[in-house]
Amino acid sequence: MDKNHFDVIVLGGGPAGLTAGIYLGRSKAKTLILDTGMPGGQMVLTYEIANYPGVENISGYQLSSVMKKQAKNFGCVVKPNVKLASLHLEGPNKEVKLENGDTFTAHAMILATGGRPRMLNVPGENEFKGRGISYCATCDGDFFQDKEIVVVGGGNSALEEAVALTKYASKVTILHEFDHFQAFEHAVEEAKANKKIDYIMEAHITGFYGDESLRGIQYKNLKTGETHKKSIDGVFIFIGYEANTQALQNGPVKLNKWNEIITDENLQTNLEGVFAAGDCRAKRYRQITTAVSDGTIAALNALNFIQK
Ligand SMILES: Cc1cc2nc3c(=O)[nH]c(=O)nc-3n(C[C@H](O)[C@H](O)[C@H](O)COP(=O)(O)OP(=O)(O)OC[C@H]3O[C@@H](n4cnc5c(N)ncnc54)[C@H](O)[C@@H]3O)c2cc1C
């Protein structure tokens, strides 16, 4: 039997892809999980997860490790850090080619490529990325011990990560474009109760400045139109996500206008035998629980498909 032929190939090893792997592997389907980064996905970027049922206050890294171990224990082959060369998704034989020449085929495919943090796209952002600008509190929070930082955004991630960052920073200023937050009430209350957190509301960052490292931001007050400068040691940006569907943007999988994958309620895409799960698909709520749910549904429907 061809060792590179699988029942199902899962693209992406975040919570959606790993859950799909757990269900597929446990059903004895020969499963390959390919990830262009490290399995765990955005969970690895999360300092503390307090809303995953059954585990209290686990770190994103720990939860990822357990999910990956479960998928491997059920027989999934997990390949991290792969570089995709091409995808062939039409017809009964799906194929993935890697840049190193490896080629894998399968009867069914689950796309679980997740999302990535959205950038502000203002001058200086690329220059100071990794030199004062970060998109991940877990990864970079401890570089800002006793420093002053700004958190950009007003959703759940921004407020929760701002609170997490007060463990390191001497002061955290949340800068948000509206006069109110979009986060859930409990996240807003927790941030407001934290004495280290301050606010700049109704403002936009217009640029970053510094030398070898970030030294400050320029921002515009959206009510008065005035521009200000603020010296700062670091900036964390949490303004939403974009789907990781670059590999699909020239078809044949149908995407919506935000480049998210369109599925039916069985999480099947417009192509037979190709399913999508998690943050890469068009849906309203993007959480670990919803990714895990998608992974389950996609795996069960993929199993049903290959059994036919
Ligand atoms: C800072 C932050 C804090 C968060 N906090 C919480 C929280 O407290 N609770 C909660 O429930 N949710 C939280 N979320 C959201 C949650 O992490 C996501 O909704 C969830 O991880 C989505 O899972 P996923 O498997 O769909 O995608 P992802 O987690 O994005 O995983 C996708 C995986 O696919 C890989 N990949 C990308 N492109 C390709 C490709 N072309 N081929 C193969 N692999 C590819 C990526 O490397 C990644 O490993 C947070 C997110 C962030 C960024």
Side-chain angles (χ1 to χ4, degrees):
M1 197 176 157
D2 180 357
K3 73 175 176 42
N4 284 354
H5 182 74
F6 290 82
D7 292 315
V8 184
I9 295 175
V10 182
L11 273 193
L18 291 173
T19 305
I22 291 167
Y23 274 80
L24 292 164
R26 201 161 180 238
S27 302
K28 308 279 180 226
K30 194 180 165 199
T31 304
L32 171 66
I33 301 177
L34 294 173
D35 199 300
T36 49
M38 285 308 290
Q42 294 169 64
M43 283 191 297
V44 182
L45 306 179
T46 310
Y47 184 80
E48 187 178 272
I49 296 165
N51 54 4
Y52 191 74
V55 278
E56 278 185 299
N57 301 329
I58 189 168
S59 77
Y61 182 79
Q62 276 176 300
L63 189 57
S64 308
S65 304
V66 181
M67 282 190 197
K68 189 169 75 183
K69 191 161 159 253
Q70 276 178 294
K72 282 186 166 175
N73 287 348
F74 284 126
C76 295
V77 177
V78 182
K79 288 188 185 288
N81 296 317
V82 299
K83 290 196 166 55
L84 297 186
S86 67
L87 280 178
H88 179 82
L89 300 173
E90 286 166 302
N93 216 18
K94 321 296 178 197
E95 185 189 86
V96 183
K97 269 195 187 146
L98 303 187
E99 281 184 8
N100 66 5
D102 288 349
T103 301
F104 302 101
T105 54
H107 298 301
M109 182 90 106
I110 297 177
L111 307 170
T113 53
R116 62 188 182 283
R118 184 168 286 145
M119 290 178 66
L120 285 170
N121 289 319
V122 299
E125 187 172 11
N126 271 325
E127 196 184 335
F128 295 111
K129 199 197 280 181
R131 294 192 292 135
I133 299 180
S134 170
Y135 304 82
C136 173
T138 318
C139 325
D140 300 326
D142 69 342
F143 295 134
F144 296 92
Q145 203 78 48
D146 300 322
K147 307 264 188 210
E148 286 200 20
I149 58 170
V150 163
V151 165
V152 184
N156 287 315
S157 289
L159 271 70
E160 285 168 7
E161 300 298 304
V163 170
L165 285 163
T166 60
K167 293 192 181 105
Y168 309 106
S170 55
K171 186 177 167 194
V172 176
T173 302
I174 298 178
L175 185 145
H176 185 43
E177 60 183 332
F178 302 119
D179 62 355
H180 62 279
F181 294 111
Q182 288 82 44
F184 290 131
E185 201 45 47
H186 66 82
V188 178
E189 275 167 19
E190 206 186 334
K192 289 204 165 149
N194 192 311
K195 298 258 180 311
K196 281 189 175 178
I197 298 183
D198 203 356
Y199 303 89
I200 299 175
M201 302 301 281
E202 297 182 83
H204 261 169
I205 291 195
T206 52
F208 296 95
Y209 62 89
D211 34 51
E212 307 86 58
S213 305
L214 179 76
R215 298 286 170 221
I217 57 170
Q218 280 148 349
Y219 66 94
K220 185 176 177 181
N221 180 319
L222 297 174
K223 256 167 73 180
T224 63
E226 282 167 10
T227 306
H228 303 271
K229 275 188 163 186
K230 181 174 173 66
S231 295
I232 204 78
D233 302 305
V235 175
F236 285 76
I237 300 170
F238 303 108
I239 53 165
Y241 306 98
E242 290 171 294
N244 286 327
T245 53
Q246 301 93 312
L248 304 171
Q249 282 167 19
N250 296 320
V253 176
K254 261 197 192 150
L255 307 178
N256 66 12
K257 64 176 173 179
W258 296 286
N259 291 324
E260 299 159 346
I261 303 168
I262 299 171
T263 61
D264 65 16
E265 64 176 37
N266 292 323
L267 304 197
Q268 161 124 1
T269 67
N270 58 310
L271 300 181
E272 222 186 10
V274 180
F275 301 84
D279 283 12
C280 63
R281 76 178 189 92
K283 62 176 184 180
R284 181 153 180 205
Y285 296 112
R286 292 185 165 81
Q287 287 286 284
I288 299 166
T289 48
T290 59
V292 160
S293 160
D294 279 7
T296 309
I297 296 167
L300 295 177
N301 284 313
L303 282 169
N304 200 19
F305 174 79
I306 56 177
Q307 275 153 17
K308 277 186 196 157

